[in-house]
């Protein structure tokens, strides 16, 4: 993390100086905003944290609760989500506090006594080199607290407004209106209306208001799908037990049902997902009379011959499994697709719901916001074309559809009680779990070709950086200070594109170096950096050019580097020395990610860390043409002030 660019300041360097615009903003609920976020769940707060990185954009977030979530709900944090949190500087805290899922055990009926269970397998939870980040368990309330803390430390000093329920969202048909979306906000206390009503007008509105989303209803969308007529109880407990794998993630299926055990942070707490039987547990399901004691009794029935003695319940719930999905995640009617730009979006449970057992709900919701946040921010800033907003629904609806299909199969296999020949194969679910590991880790999503994602014409130059998928980080040595770092950790939540130039074999100081030729082009007036970076902005604020050399870090000096890799920034024109890395000898990034050593490769990465393109180092016109599809060229009619693009 870099700081002190514009002058040394005493105190905590991770607390940004307040933005000057704060002095002009009202202390209470404003009448207008650039972006209104409805809902302080995972999607809403991650989106708010992303937009807090753009303090010139006025963002308001509201929630109908009286205050922050304190306990319960989701707890599984996929590897990909930890990668995203690293972009905010929050991964270390998350990993330090949480429970790290390293292995998973599988239990099935004992062939010798099917009334009892026996362990049938034990595997690594995450395959080697899937991610530099682990699979973590952290309570959702703590995840949201991390994001709120980040917002408070940002230059916006952002805080949610609680006790406000959005009841209606209306889009003004006048496309020239500065704030065309009007939202009616009902004031509530303990979820009950107080009688006071406010309205707020915004350039864009994002409904992160859950499965009963008023935003979704207002734009004429609905969740489509079915419930499975299958109910589960959830218990967060402190307990004593003779079950030997209580501190391992354990998938248990017996003749009496299924339990998923998830150890929680702190060393003692554990979560139990408990399948409820429509016959044996019919009374509590029919009367909605389940209690923690009754849920614990069901767990003991399933765990036989082991038992669990619940001493304290931190949180509990009963939910019905269902898979539902919206056909579109914005307000553009199907017959106006391609001719109208969206103004209202939905994210998270507002547009997709599914079971909790695969641990995808919070993660996919945050990934929705991660996809959308930089697009809204850079359109409002005036550096991205407004057309990029169309890609949100296209990209995330496809991911959600894949999730629904996966969740339906995962939930069915988890609860399956095999008989006949299948009873002789107790490892069937274990194999499926291993095969689907990339999906559950959040790293399997691939965005299709669009104005943000190119066709894989040159994929052979860097096979390990698959176009459309998230940038797969690798260990490297930072050249200037010899520090071991992860290449992907340079990807901050700042809305910038990254150009990672993996050098050819030539020394970067040699006249024949393809890397040097690329760097000279990027320092010229014809380069995309010059074309798409607003006057007065830092040279890496829109396009961040970086290089990975083939030489060892002791075989190259700063004097060997071209000026484009030593950009001057800030009001003092300080040199950024952190743009160049070299391979780590034991784990060479060129070998790890299949980069062509002779030709090198240019890997173009979107602001949400997905690979947008792989190009030869000398494909200058192709690079400019691709970026022109997403970025606004300096001097075009699209303005550079916040919100200028919103009127288009």
């Amino acid at each position: 993390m870099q700081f002190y660019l514009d002058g040394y300041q005493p105190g905590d360097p991770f607390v940004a100086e307040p933005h000057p615009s704060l002095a002009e903003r009202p202390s209470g609920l404003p009448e207008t905003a650039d972006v209104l976020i409805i809902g302080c769940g995972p999607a809403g707060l991650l989106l708010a944290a992303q937009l807090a990185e753009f303090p010139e954009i006025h963002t308001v977030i509201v929630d109908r609760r009286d205050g922050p979530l304190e306990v319960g709900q989701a707890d599984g944090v996929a590897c990909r989500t930890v990668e995203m949190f690293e972009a905010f500087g929050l991964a270390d805290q998350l990993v330090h506090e949480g429970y790290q899922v390293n292995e998973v055990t599988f239990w099935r009926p004992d062939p010798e006594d099917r009334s009892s269970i026996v362990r049938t397998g034990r595997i690594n939870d995450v395959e080697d080199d899937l991610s530099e980040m682990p699979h973590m368990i952290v309570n959702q309330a703590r995840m949201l607290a991390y994001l709120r803390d980040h917002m408070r430390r940002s230059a916006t000093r952002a805080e949610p407004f609680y006790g406000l329920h959005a009841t209606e969202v209306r889009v003004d048909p006048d496309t020239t209106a500065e704030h065309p979306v009007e939202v009616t906000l009902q004031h509530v206390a303990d979820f009950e209306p107080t009688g006071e009503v406010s309205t707020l007008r915004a350039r864009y509105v994002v409904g992160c208001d859950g499965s009963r989303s008023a935003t979704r209803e207002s734009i004429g969308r609905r969740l489509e799908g079915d419930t499975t007529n299958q109910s589960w109880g959830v218990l967060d407990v402190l307990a004593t037990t003779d079950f030997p794998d209580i501190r391992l993630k354990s998938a248990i299926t017996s003749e009496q049902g299924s339990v998923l055990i998830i150890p929680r942070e702190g060393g003692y707490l554990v979560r139990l997902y408990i399948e409820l039987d429509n016959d044996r547990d019919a009374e509590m399901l029919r009367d909605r009379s389940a209690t923690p004691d009754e849920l614990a009794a069901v767990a003991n029935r399933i765990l036989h011959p082991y038992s669990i003695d619940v001493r304290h319940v931190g949180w509990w719930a009963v939910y019905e499994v269902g898979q539902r999905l919206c056909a579109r995640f914005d307000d553009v009617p199907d017959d106006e697709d391609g001719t109208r730009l969206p103004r209202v979006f939905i994210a998270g449970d507002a547009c997709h719901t599914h079971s909790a057992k695969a641990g995808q709900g919070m993660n996919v919701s945050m990934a929705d916001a991660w996809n959308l946040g930089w697009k809204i921010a850079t359109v409002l800033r005036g550096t991205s074309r407004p057309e990029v907003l169309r890609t949100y629904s296209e990209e995330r609806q496809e991911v959600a559809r894949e999730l629904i299909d996966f969740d339906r199969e995962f939930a069915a296999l988890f609860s399956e009680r095999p008989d006949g020949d299948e009873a002789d194969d107790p490892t069937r679910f274990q194999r499926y779990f291993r095969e689907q590991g990339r999906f559950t880790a959040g790293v399997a999503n691939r965005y299709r070709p669009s104005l943000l994602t190119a066709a894989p014409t040159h994929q052979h130059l860097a096979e390990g950086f698959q176009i459309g998928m998230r940038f797969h980080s690798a260990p490297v040595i930072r050249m200037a200070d010899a520090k071991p770092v992860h290449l992907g950790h340079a990807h901050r939540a700042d809305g910038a594109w990254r150009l990672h130039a993996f050098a050819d074999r030539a020394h970067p100081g040699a006249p024949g170096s393809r890397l040097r030729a690329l760097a000279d082009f990027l320092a010229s007036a014809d380069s995309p950096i010059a074309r798409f970076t607003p006057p007065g902005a830092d040279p890496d604020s829109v396009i961040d050019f970086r290089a990975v050399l083939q030489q060892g870090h002791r075989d190259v000096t700063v004097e060997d580097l071209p000026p484009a890799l030593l950009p001057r920034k800030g009001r003092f024109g300080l040199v950024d020395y952190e743009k160049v890395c070299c391979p780590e000898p034991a784990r060479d990034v060129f070998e790890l990610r299949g980069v062509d050593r002779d030709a090198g490769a240019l890997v173009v990465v979107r602001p949400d860390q997905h690979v947008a393109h792989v190009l030869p180092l000398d494909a200058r016109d192709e690079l400019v043409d691709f970026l022109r599809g997403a970025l606004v060229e300096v001097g075009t009619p699209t303005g550079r002030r916040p919100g200028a693009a919103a009127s288009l």
Side-chain angles (χ1 to χ4, degrees):
M1 185 74 77
Q2 294 172 297
F3 37 82
Y4 303 143
L5 177 63
D6 291 318
Y8 175 76
Q9 296 289 336
D12 187 346
F14 298 102
V15 177
E17 285 292 302
H19 192 264
S21 65
L22 293 185
E24 304 172 3
R25 293 180 183 174
S27 57
L29 185 70
E31 295 181 356
T32 63
D34 291 320
V35 184
L36 173 63
I37 302 169
I38 302 170
C40 284
L45 280 176
L46 190 129
L47 179 59
Q50 168 72 103
L51 293 176
E53 297 295 307
F54 300 80
E56 72 275 23
I57 295 172
H58 187 194
T59 302
V60 173
I61 181 168
V62 301
D63 194 90
R64 66 191 184 98
R65 295 178 182 271
D66 292 334
L69 179 72
E70 295 182 352
V71 296
Q73 300 188 14
D75 63 353
V77 187
C79 302
R80 176 66 189 129
T81 303
V82 186
E83 292 176 7
M84 290 190 294
F85 269 58
E86 172 60 28
F88 295 101
L90 298 173
D92 288 347
Q93 181 181 4
L94 192 163
V95 172
H96 179 70
E97 181 175 333
Y99 169 85
Q100 184 168 322
V101 185
N102 296 310
E103 296 185 354
V104 186
T105 65
F106 299 86
W107 294 72
R108 289 294 184 267
D110 185 346
E112 304 298 324
D113 177 9
R114 296 190 64 82
S115 67
S116 298
I117 56 173
V118 63
R119 187 195 293 131
T120 58
R122 179 169 177 163
I123 63 173
N124 290 338
D125 179 71
V126 177
E127 68 181 77
D128 291 341
D129 195 33
L130 189 66
S131 171
E132 78 279 15
M133 296 300 185
H135 177 193
M136 301 300 301
I137 304 296
V138 178
N139 184 274
Q140 177 177 315
R142 291 295 296 148
M143 296 286 288
L144 303 185
Y146 301 154
L147 294 171
R148 288 194 305 273
D149 289 345
H150 178 79
M151 292 159 57
R152 294 188 192 104
R153 294 194 302 269
S154 75
T156 67
R157 299 294 193 267
E159 292 277 0
F161 291 92
Y162 292 103
L164 293 170
H165 175 45
T167 57
E168 188 176 8
V169 178
R170 296 181 298 277
V171 180
D172 193 328
D174 180 3
T175 58
T176 64
E178 187 175 9
H179 297 90
V181 189
E182 183 180 83
V183 180
T184 302
L185 297 168
Q186 185 181 70
H187 294 244
V188 295
D190 196 22
F191 301 107
E192 293 298 323
T194 66
E196 184 180 358
V197 176
S198 298
T199 59
L200 188 149
R201 297 190 70 93
R203 301 180 194 275
Y204 297 103
V205 170
V206 185
C208 307
D209 44 349
S211 59
R212 295 182 175 88
S213 170
T215 310
R216 182 187 66 237
E217 298 298 323
S218 293
I219 62 174
R221 304 291 177 204
R222 64 189 185 93
L223 289 172
E224 298 177 348
D226 301 306
T227 61
T228 60
N229 195 30
Q230 185 181 36
S231 297
W232 288 71
V234 189
L235 286 174
D236 280 341
V237 299
L238 298 172
T240 59
T241 180
D242 57 353
F243 181 70
D245 292 346
I246 195 65
R247 295 307 299 172
L248 292 169
K249 180 178 177 180
S250 300
I252 302 156
T253 297
S254 76
E255 296 284 285
Q256 302 296 316
S258 299
V259 167
L260 179 64
I261 293 178
I262 307 289
R264 294 287 305 275
E265 61 272 33
Y268 301 100
L269 194 66
V270 65
R271 172 166 290 190
L272 307 176
Y273 286 101
I274 306 159
E275 183 184 23
L276 301 178
D277 187 273
N278 289 329
D279 295 325
R280 282 171 291 207
D281 306 312
E283 183 177 349
M284 76 169 80
L285 291 173
R286 182 182 64 249
D287 301 336
R288 299 182 180 273
S289 60
T291 66
D293 287 343
E294 289 176 315
L295 295 178
V298 176
N300 274 294
R301 183 180 76 203
I302 296 169
L303 287 170
H304 180 78
Y306 304 102
S307 64
I308 186 166
D309 180 13
V310 172
R311 303 297 180 88
H312 174 77
V313 177
W315 177 78
W316 70 281
V318 173
Y319 70 93
E320 188 175 58
V321 175
Q323 289 92 12
R324 297 187 178 92
L325 177 65
C326 261
R328 192 180 180 99
F329 294 1
D330 61 34
D331 67 320
V332 177
D334 291 341
D335 60 356
E336 296 184 49
D337 190 19
T339 62
R340 174 176 154 186
L341 293 170
R343 290 289 184 174
V344 182
F345 307 86
I346 50 177
D349 286 354
C351 43
H352 48 75
T353 63
H354 34 83
S355 76
K357 291 184 296 303
Q360 295 301 295
M362 177 170 65
N363 297 286
V364 175
S365 295
M366 287 183 169
D368 288 347
W370 185 237
N371 179 287
L372 178 62
W374 71 270
K375 297 175 181 177
I376 290 180
T378 56
V379 166
L380 284 169
R381 179 175 272 184
T383 55
S384 287
R385 294 182 177 276
E387 289 80 6
V388 304
L389 296 174
R390 293 189 179 121
T391 64
Y392 167 68
S393 182
E394 295 168 0
E395 292 178 338
R396 296 308 300 174
Q397 204 275 345
E398 176 67 17
V399 170
R401 186 191 61 76
E402 292 173 356
L403 169 61
I404 295 299
D405 292 343
F406 164 77
D407 185 67
R408 186 176 288 112
E409 185 174 9
F410 185 91
L413 282 175
F414 187 91
S415 301
E416 184 180 61
R417 243 79 72 201
D419 52 22
D421 293 338
E422 292 183 345
D424 297 326
D425 184 10
T427 63
R428 181 184 180 201
F429 180 70
Q430 177 180 322
R431 292 198 308 275
Y432 178 81
F433 182 94
R434 181 187 288 113
E435 291 165 0
Q436 298 300 319
R438 289 176 175 265
F439 190 90
T440 55
V443 302
N445 298 333
R446 184 194 298 270
Y447 295 145
R448 296 185 181 186
S450 69
L451 61 88
L452 297 177
T453 307
T457 307
H458 306 287
Q459 185 68 76
H460 63 280
L461 295 174
E463 292 287 356
F465 295 114
Q466 289 291 307
I467 295 174
M469 303 186 75
R470 108 330 183 161
F471 182 86
H472 191 178
S473 186
V476 289
I477 305 293
R478 199 160 60 202
M479 194 208 79
D481 59 0
K483 181 179 179 180
V485 295
H486 246 273
L487 192 57
H489 295 186
H491 299 181
R492 312 314 296 174
D494 56 8
W497 290 71
R498 264 83 199 181
L499 303 184
H500 285 283
F502 290 84
D504 53 315
R505 294 183 185 273
H507 190 281
S513 165
R514 294 181 183 178
L515 172 65
R516 177 167 284 276
L518 171 64
D520 290 344
F521 165 66
L522 292 175
S524 73
D526 294 327
S527 84
I529 294 176
R531 292 185 185 208
F532 302 119
T533 303
D538 282 333
D540 58 357
S541 61
V542 177
I543 299 172
D544 182 9
F545 175 47
R546 295 172 175 269
V548 182
L549 309 180
Q550 295 198 36
Q551 291 75 22
H553 68 280
R554 294 181 178 178
D555 301 321
V556 185
T557 71
V558 169
E559 295 173 312
D560 298 321
L561 301 179
L565 290 170
L566 296 167
R568 291 187 174 272
K569 298 163 55 177
R571 63 192 182 105
F572 299 120
L574 302 182
V575 176
D576 187 341
Y577 291 100
E578 299 191 358
K579 301 297 188 183
V580 179
C581 293
C582 299
E584 183 181 290
R587 295 178 292 172
D588 188 307
V589 61
F590 286 82
E591 296 293 336
L592 285 174
R593 300 295 174 257
V595 179
D596 188 314
R597 287 189 176 277
D598 293 320
L602 181 63
V603 179
V604 183
V605 185
R606 299 166 20 157
D608 57 7
Q609 303 172 338
H610 278 252
V611 177
H613 212 337
V614 172
L615 289 165
L617 292 176
D618 57 0
R620 301 171 188 178
D621 291 342
E622 202 170 345
L623 173 64
V624 173
D625 288 344
F626 173 73
L627 292 174
R628 187 183 286 123
L631 298 176
V632 175
E633 194 157 355
V634 174
T636 59
T638 299
R640 290 295 178 182
R641 62 179 177 83
S647 62
L648 297 180

